[in-house]
């Protein structure tokens, strides 16, 4: 009978040196080459970790630390999904001893004195079972990685679709298509400063660019009009919040649910004079954050109806409107983002001068 796994790792544990020597000699005769023996039970946990054995030949009756205690220690050290390959060595063939050993974690028995054929068959069977179990675990891990990779690909594709949807709406009145990205980036920075959880900040940064997706339903004659809108036109323009929320509604995904909320409420005012008349904290926090990011970006960039404002003037306007148009807490976070950005720009300038190298200037956080 050919040996299937001559490289199998075998750990022999018995307080009787003659038994250890006998089993090591017998295993080598059978063709096994990776055998470790010990007469010191207290070394077994460390040897188990180092060797990761395919089979443990374990004597039950040992002083200080017996086989039952060792099985309990080993079982506690591994998860329930791990196959613990323990072959018990015992002269006690009673039903009670076998049941107790099985309950403790043994998978089979070798009775003393040892029968060579029995040793060969039982060890071979345990090693084969152990290797099949390891192969199954490896296969499951491979499947899990493949599923994780495919899930990540689907997530990336879904996010890209949402980004393109936001771009499609915004491109009609912003031929650079960067407004949505800037608003998303700025909203995430404000949320971070406000102490929102990192995962919430990440979703906010991805949902905010969809704030104006409802512009898809607004005619160009209104959307691109270079003069002030008439009252009727303005009422029609206001519909883009409801249109956007309708496009995004009904999803089970948190990102789209947040995007729906933002689309519907990003034109609400802290004082209650917004599109829907929501006031103060009745306006969802995400809507309050995106409102500040959106207005600042609109002020500092050219629109069909106006030239861009200087950044300093736009910051002053946001600060002036705190408590009326904007949530004061959000404005405070926005101002901190601006200060951090200014410090970053100053730091870059100092580095550029000190090293006499030319770097590309970092763009403003909220206008990039």
């Amino acid at each position: 009978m050919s040996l299937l796994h001559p490289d199998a790792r075998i750990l022999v544990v018995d307080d009787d040196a003659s038994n250890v020597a006998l089993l090591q000699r017998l295993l080598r005769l059978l063709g096994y080459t990776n055998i470790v023996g010990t007469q010191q039970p207290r070394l077994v946990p460390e040897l188990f970790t180092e060797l990761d054995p395919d089979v443990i030949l374990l004597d039950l009756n040992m002083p200080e630390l017996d086989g039952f205690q060792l099985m309990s220690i080993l079982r506690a050290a591994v998860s329930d999904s791990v196959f613990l390959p323990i072959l018990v060595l015992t002269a006690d063939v009673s039903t009670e001893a076998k049941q107790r050993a099985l309950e403790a974690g043994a998978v089979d028995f070798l009775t003393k004195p040892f029968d060579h054929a029995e040793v060969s068959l039982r060890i071979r069977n345990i090693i084969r079972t152990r290797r099949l179990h390891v192969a199954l675990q490896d296969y499951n891990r491979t499947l899990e990685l493949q599923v994780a990779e495919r899930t990540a690909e689907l997530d990336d594709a879904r996010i890209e679709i949402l980004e393109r949807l936001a771009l499609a709406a915004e491109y009609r009145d912003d031929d650079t298509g960067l407004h949505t990205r800037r608003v998303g980036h700025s909203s995430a920075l404000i949320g971070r400063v406000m102490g929102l959880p990192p995962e919430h900040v990440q979703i906010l940064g991805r949902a905010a660019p969809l704030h104006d997706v409802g512009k898809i339903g607004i005619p160009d004659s209104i959307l691109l009009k270079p003069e002030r809108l008439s009252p009727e036109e303005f009422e029609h323009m206001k519909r883009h919040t409801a249109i956007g929320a309708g496009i995004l509604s009904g999803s089970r995904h948190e990102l789209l649910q947040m995007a729906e909320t933002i689309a519907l409420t990003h034109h609400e005012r802290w004082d209650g004079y917004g599109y829907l008349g929501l006031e103060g904290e009745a306006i969802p926090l995400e809507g309050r954050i995106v409102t500040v990011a959106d207005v600042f970006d609109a002020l500092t960039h050219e629109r069909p109806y106006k030239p861009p404002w200087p950044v300093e003037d736009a910051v002053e306007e946001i600060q002036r409107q705190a408590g009326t148009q904007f949530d004061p807490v959000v404005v405070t976070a926005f101002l901190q983002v601006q200060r951090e950005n200014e410090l970053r720009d100053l730091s870059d300038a100092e580095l550029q001068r000190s090293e006499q190298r030319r770097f590309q200037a970092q763009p403003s956080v909220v206008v990039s």
Side-chain angles (χ1 to χ4, degrees):
M1 183 181 301
S2 60
L3 193 62
L4 294 176
H5 302 289
D7 61 335
R9 298 175 300 277
I10 301 175
L11 176 59
V12 181
V13 185
D14 197 312
D15 63 311
D16 188 331
S18 61
N19 283 336
V20 173
L22 173 63
L23 286 169
Q24 287 180 313
R25 184 167 60 252
L26 175 57
L27 291 168
R28 290 192 182 95
L29 288 173
L30 291 172
Y32 295 107
T33 58
N34 195 352
I35 308 162
V36 175
T38 182
Q39 299 168 243
Q40 303 181 50
R42 295 191 179 280
L43 297 180
V44 171
E46 182 179 351
L47 290 171
F48 177 80
T49 301
E50 293 177 356
L51 188 61
D52 187 24
D54 291 298
V55 60
I56 305 172
L57 305 181
L58 179 63
D59 185 28
L60 284 181
N61 300 312
M62 294 182 290
E64 297 185 10
L65 197 62
D66 64 24
F68 294 107
Q69 292 170 307
L70 274 176
M71 283 190 283
S72 178
I73 292 171
L74 295 178
R75 174 49 63 195
V78 299
S79 68
D80 293 336
S81 62
V82 173
F83 177 72
L84 199 56
I86 297 177
L87 183 59
V88 165
L89 310 174
T90 181
D92 187 351
V93 295
S94 67
T95 301
E96 181 181 356
K98 289 184 177 181
Q99 288 178 346
R100 186 183 174 196
L102 289 172
E103 290 174 357
V107 296
D108 208 344
F109 304 87
L110 274 176
T111 57
K112 299 178 181 179
F114 304 123
D115 178 82
H116 290 197
E118 184 183 15
V119 170
S120 175
L121 290 172
R122 293 189 186 278
I123 289 179
R124 186 192 64 179
N125 289 341
I126 287 183
I127 291 174
R128 182 166 54 188
T129 302
R130 155 79 173 177
R131 290 297 179 93
L132 288 173
H133 183 82
V134 170
L136 180 60
Q137 285 186 317
D138 291 342
Y139 178 71
N140 287 339
R141 278 192 290 268
T142 300
L143 286 181
E144 289 173 359
L145 287 174
Q146 290 176 344
V147 169
E149 290 173 357
R150 183 58 57 86
T151 300
E153 290 174 0
L154 291 174
D155 286 343
D156 290 344
R158 182 163 56 245
I159 291 170
E160 183 177 349
I161 289 171
L162 294 178
E163 290 175 348
R164 291 179 183 272
L165 176 61
L167 182 63
E170 190 63 33
Y171 199 77
R172 297 178 59 209
D173 66 342
D174 174 19
D175 57 9
T176 68
L178 295 177
H179 170 71
T180 59
R181 296 181 184 179
R182 291 192 298 262
V183 171
H185 184 57
S186 299
S187 298
L189 290 176
I190 293 171
R192 176 186 59 79
V193 169
M194 293 182 70
L196 298 182
E199 62 274 11
H200 194 90
V201 170
Q202 183 180 42
I203 295 173
L204 174 61
R206 290 174 173 172
L210 292 161
H211 65 284
D212 273 341
V213 70
K215 286 182 178 180
I216 288 174
I218 304 302
D220 285 349
S221 60
I222 295 175
L223 189 65
L224 304 180
K225 186 176 180 179
E227 299 90 15
R228 181 181 295 273
L229 299 179
S230 69
E232 294 78 13
E233 289 171 332
F234 183 65
E235 286 300 315
H236 198 98
M237 183 67 177
K238 286 165 62 175
R239 291 182 55 210
H240 83 274
T241 58
I243 293 171
I247 291 172
L248 299 167
S249 65
S251 176
R252 294 178 290 108
H253 297 285
E254 185 179 1
L255 192 158
L256 286 174
Q257 290 173 349
M258 186 185 295
E260 176 188 357
T261 297
I262 290 170
L264 186 64
T265 63
H266 74 283
H267 280 291
E268 296 308 294
R269 292 174 55 103
W270 184 252
D271 58 12
Y273 288 95
Y275 286 13
L276 300 176
L278 298 178
E279 182 178 356
E281 293 186 357
I283 306 168
L285 177 59
E286 294 81 10
R288 285 180 265 151
I289 291 173
V290 174
T291 296
V292 173
D294 183 33
V295 170
F296 177 77
D297 193 78
L299 289 175
T300 53
H301 289 81
E302 183 178 1
R303 292 289 174 146
Y305 51 86
K306 71 162 191 66
W309 286 28
V311 171
E312 296 79 7
D313 293 349
V315 171
E316 289 180 6
E317 177 66 12
I318 296 292
Q319 191 169 11
R320 188 176 68 83
Q321 292 292 339
T324 53
Q325 184 175 357
F326 306 121
D327 177 353
V329 175
V330 175
V331 172
T332 298
F334 163 78
L335 294 175
Q336 182 174 334
V337 169
Q338 288 298 306
R339 287 193 295 271
E340 290 177 355
N341 178 66
E342 291 172 2
L343 290 173
R344 217 170 15 251
D345 287 342
L346 288 173
S347 175
D348 286 345
E350 291 293 334
L351 182 63
Q352 185 180 40
R353 286 193 294 269
S354 66
E355 297 186 3
Q356 297 182 345
R357 294 174 58 187
R358 184 174 182 178
F359 290 97
Q360 181 179 359
Q362 288 189 351
S364 172
V365 172
V366 294
V367 298
S368 59

